[in-house]
Amino acid sequence: MGTKYLLVSLPTSISPSNQHDEALTALRSSISKDYGTVSPFAIPEFKIGTLDALVQQADELAKLDAACEGIVSKVGESLRNMLEGDEEKIARQKTVNDKPVDQYLRSFSWNRIKYRADKSIAELIDSLQKEAGSIDNDVKSKYNQYNQIKTNLTALQRKQTGNLATRSLTALVNPSLIIQDSEYLETHLLAVPKQATKEFLKSYETVSPMVVPRSAIQITLDDEYTLYAVTTFKKHGQEFSQKCRERRWTPRDYKYKEGGKEEEQKENDRLTRDERKVWAEAMRLARTGWSESMMIWVHVLSLRVFVETVLRYGLPLEFVCGLVKTTPKLAKKAKRALDSSYSYLGGNAFGRDQKGRVTKDSSAISSDMQAAGHGGDDGQYTAYVYYEFEV
């Protein structure tokens, strides 16, 4: 089962002293340890623009949040495919800044070197968006390259290991059995199903005109087919091939090429080397890409919480942010505990059920708040800043 995280921002007024540490203690005490553990989540103060700008940025960050989640998921799927679903190996690759994901999240610190907090929120959004897009494109490009080489190698190996109706004949056919450079005669190679060999030997000479009598030579056989060489006059070659198809004797295209066997083996060796090389490159890029896209996503979530906090609680900024670690199954109970403690922050504009939780309201205020994005990720309004994500 995956881990679910809840990002919660509350005004420090939830504690009598209005102090940050006491507010964090109050947040911790509101959630039973049976439902999840709360860690402080540090968010710096950013340059705040106009109210209109903040509302627009809240909308942009909601879209960027979803895009980043998608990128993390796609890169993770690439890792899964390249590691053939081995969960233990996948988990070892999914680190953030060489730390386990949970450790990175619980010790999160805004990267002030890469994303300077003195920049405007609009500039930070633009920078994060460009980086996320670049990672997505780089990983996708290398993964597609790996898939193409793997597909080519698989096709070549299938040609070398399939049955006689499909596999390459380069290594199987003795060139001396093939008539070459004759003006009138040509050799046909036919993969005949084993159960049809008696019928083939009895009738091949009469399926079309000008088949050379007794020219059928058995070249090799496997579990399903026997490969024969048959000589016909060229002028009736196409008719012979068509009649053979009608009888389910598979004509095989083959043209002798000097050194063809060696060339085919070299191509196999080259593709095998390329596949290993590009696999290693794609793995390194996917591992780094997952780490960096995860970091970007967490920074986007941090910025989203900040913008929402300003819109919800106003200035001066006096808030506490906590990260709740839980499971998908227990997340609803943790959320109910938060609702029970902090639904009063929604004010009188919002109705409550018998347990005191904020309920969906059709009032203009509720509609406006939801339209502006002031709600959880499920589109429902919450009385406090609340986002959830799963890793």
Side-chain angles (χ1 to χ4, degrees), residues 165-176:
T166 58
R167 68 174 296 178
S168 169
L169 302 179
T170 305
L172 302 176
V173 177
N174 186 332
S176 65

Side-chain angles (χ1 to χ4, degrees), residues 340-357:
S340 177
S341 297
Y342 305 116
S343 63
Y344 70 88
L345 293 170
N348 294 327
F350 300 94
R352 288 173 172 74
D353 60 19
Q354 292 178 346
K355 295 182 180 179
R357 295 192 297 259

